[in-house]
Amino acid sequence: MKKYEYTDKKDTRSGFGAGIAELGKTHPNVIALTADLAGSLKLEAFIKEFPDRFIQCGIAEANMMGVSAGLTIGGKIPYATTFANFATGRVYDQIRQSIAYSNKNVKICASHAGLTLGEDGATHQILEDLGMMKMLPNMTVINPCDYNQTKAATIAIADHVGPVYLRFGRPVIPIFTPADQKFEIGKAWHVNEGDAVSIFCTGHLVWEAIKAGEMLSEQGIEADIINIHTIKPLDEEAILASVKKTGCAVSAEEHMINGGLGDSVAQVLARNYPAPLEYVGVHDTFGESGTPDQLMQKYGLTADKIVEQVKKVMARK
Amino acid sequence: MFNLQTMELEKLEGIATAVRRDILRMVAAVNSGHPGGSLGCTDFFVALYFDIMRRKTDENGNPIFDMDGHDEDLFFLSNGHISPVWYSVLARAGYFPLEELKTFRKLDSRLQGHPATAEHIPGVRIASGSLGQGLSVASGAAYAKKLNGDDKHVYVLMGDGEQQEGQIWEAAQFAPNKKLGNLTAIIDLNHAQIDGTTDNVNDNRDLGAKYRAFGWFVEEMNGNDMEEVIRTLRKAQEDPDVPTLILMHTEMGYGVDYMVGNYKWHGTAPNADQLQQALNGLPLSVGTTDY
């Protein structure tokens, strides 16, 4: 197993904040919007530097999505920011008609996704957002794994013309990807070469997959670990190349199993190369209040759970 | 004092008659669509496209359409179901061939039942149909114009039934707070929606008072009086920091006697006999033809 080390830990939302602040300097058409969550989305640096390009919408997410669509008509690149729950479920029809169907160049930037939002509980812990967004034609869906990857993705999506859903989170986690990386939309990142099992992981579960890979390696099992940061368009080539080598796979994500990354992987395998697949994700249930670590333990989104599913799927080969 | 030449007025009214004939023939041809609101708003659309809006044209006077719409006035239709009147006026203003109106609501057409951008029809900048979204979109476009130093104007038409949507009021609060004086919103006040009168379905009460309280400059006009429409729209652009809301009184089905004031014609097409009867009451004027 390739060795991954980290010296620093940060939240992915801070990667977003740093990314958009940097982007402001190179892309004069980038506009930041928020619905009363400028601090939570780490927009302070952008606002300080570019006050005229910041639009505070107040607690009115539906209007924010429509205003963003309208801004693109004047050539702007709006980054509409709020919590993932309010960025998707609350405004699905606005996104569907005014952004996705109309193919507007809006970047929907969603923080506090999934269980790791923590103590606020299930009202705010959306676990269905990737599914909702990937079902929309024209929509690109990205779920980066650490501070550096989130920052790079934030910058990269400005040059992609079309609607994007960028999902990140609240907890402080290890920074293990390079600071100078170039983010390529739709191109999976090969975390580790192995031949026993494929692990397809995204978001906060990538670090868990690395820990699982180390545990498995100690037991003589080399996992082929692939970070699918772009849920749509999916890197089908990388998925198939890996499973043709390993013959089985586990998906890992902080999302509902229905409609998540694992579902997308299953479709690719079923159509092209049927192979056993097991899932690490949330099983048709809402979350609850607790610390991020407690919740990830309780709902089985951990390295231990990935190892368990690897054993299970390898037995099915 | 506003003074429109009689010749000019006659010409606009002649176009409006041709548009009303288009609307009736379009919906009758596919036995679906929304003639009532389309007919009621015809005079407004003709005034907007043939008099009010500063639109980009080539050296021959034909419209140039680009999505960004820099340095020209923009129009958004929020109540997308009255697409027949918009399509007819866009075609007659030269955005696409008049005969394309034949394809309305048919397979592989650019003229979708509700306006859309996916088929790249010139003149349309956003999809609409799911109600309540147009005021937000128009606010965004107006905001972009201010950021771009573009002094042109943004117009948006909404329905009165549509005022029951919550998103409208999010946008109604946003536009005055952001000083979008380059935005004029018009409400088609015909007091009718699918299930009956707006008063009975879910009373909007005093819309003028509501918008005034939100910070808008509120005007009223008779939307079926061409001269009054033009006079009011020209006046609506005065304050650089205050958006304008115009309560436009119209009669659903205006121009077709048996449709006037009857909400059943909101979304019902006339049959062949009814179509003929309606067309008989709308004779083409000199210089206009049907599609």
Side-chain angles (χ1 to χ4, degrees), chain A residues 29 31 33 52-57 59-76 90 93-95 97-99 101-104, chain B residues 67-70 74 76 112 114-119 125-131 133 135-141 143-145 147-148 167 170-171 174 178:
Chain A
N29 280 328
I31 308 287
L33 300 93
D52 296 342
R53 285 153 59 190
F54 167 68
I55 304 178
Q56 174 58 268
C57 296
I59 309 168
E61 294 82 5
N63 183 57
M64 177 170 71
M65 293 304 167
V67 167
S68 297
L71 284 164
T72 68
I73 291 165
K76 301 299 174 193
R90 186 178 183 88
D93 186 49
Q94 283 77 17
I95 295 174
Q97 175 171 287
S98 292
I99 297 173
Y101 183 36
S102 297
N103 205 8
K104 295 301 179 204
Chain B
M67 186 51 82
D68 282 358
H70 287 303
L74 303 180
F76 295 96
Q112 293 291 298
H114 291 82
T117 56
E119 293 76 19
R125 290 191 168 84
I126 193 104
S128 62
S130 176
L131 295 173
Q133 301 187 29
L135 190 58
S136 301
V137 174
S139 298
Y143 205 120
K145 279 203 182 294
L147 287 171
N148 290 336
Q167 187 184 348
E170 293 186 4
F174 179 87
K178 302 302 179 192

Side-chain angles (χ1 to χ4, degrees), chain A residues 8-14 116 169-174 204 292-293:
Chain A
D8 199 4
K9 287 171 130 188
K10 276 185 186 169
D11 43 3
T12 50
R13 61 180 166 149
S14 288
T116 49
R170 177 179 178 234
V172 170
I173 56 157
H204 291 144
D293 284 346

Side-chain angles (χ1 to χ4, degrees), chain A residues 245-261:
Chain A
K245 185 170 63 175
T246 63
C248 67
V250 170
S251 63
E253 61 195 307
E254 187 184 353
H255 189 271
M256 209 66 85
I257 285 173
N258 281 334
L261 166 64

Side-chain angles (χ1 to χ4, degrees), chain B residues 160-166 168-169 193 197-198 201-204:
Chain B
D160 55 357
E162 187 180 11
Q163 301 304 306
Q164 293 157 5
E165 290 281 7
I168 297 266
W169 300 100
Q193 58 189 112
T197 65
T198 51
V201 174
N202 192 8
D203 196 347
N204 282 317

Side-chain angles (χ1 to χ4, degrees), chain B residues 1-9 12 51 226-228 230-232 234:
Chain B
M1 183 64 195
F2 172 76
N3 189 9
L4 199 64
Q5 297 293 317
T6 312
M7 285 256 303
E8 180 67 14
L9 201 58
L12 294 177
D51 183 276
M226 188 71 78
E227 191 170 0
E228 190 174 321
I230 291 171
R231 187 172 62 234
T232 312
R234 284 186 185 175

Side-chain angles (χ1 to χ4, degrees), chain B residues 103-155:
Chain B
T103 69
F104 174 61
R105 281 184 173 246
K106 290 180 178 163
L107 194 65
D108 298 326
S109 173
R110 297 197 293 179
L111 306 182
Q112 293 291 298
H114 291 82
T117 56
E119 293 76 19
H120 305 290
I121 188 75
V124 179
R125 290 191 168 84
I126 193 104
S128 62
S130 176
L131 295 173
Q133 301 187 29
L135 190 58
S136 301
V137 174
S139 298
Y143 205 120
K145 279 203 182 294
K146 291 192 91 165
L147 287 171
N148 290 336
D150 176 343
D151 67 353
K152 297 298 187 294
H153 208 77
V154 177
Y155 297 89

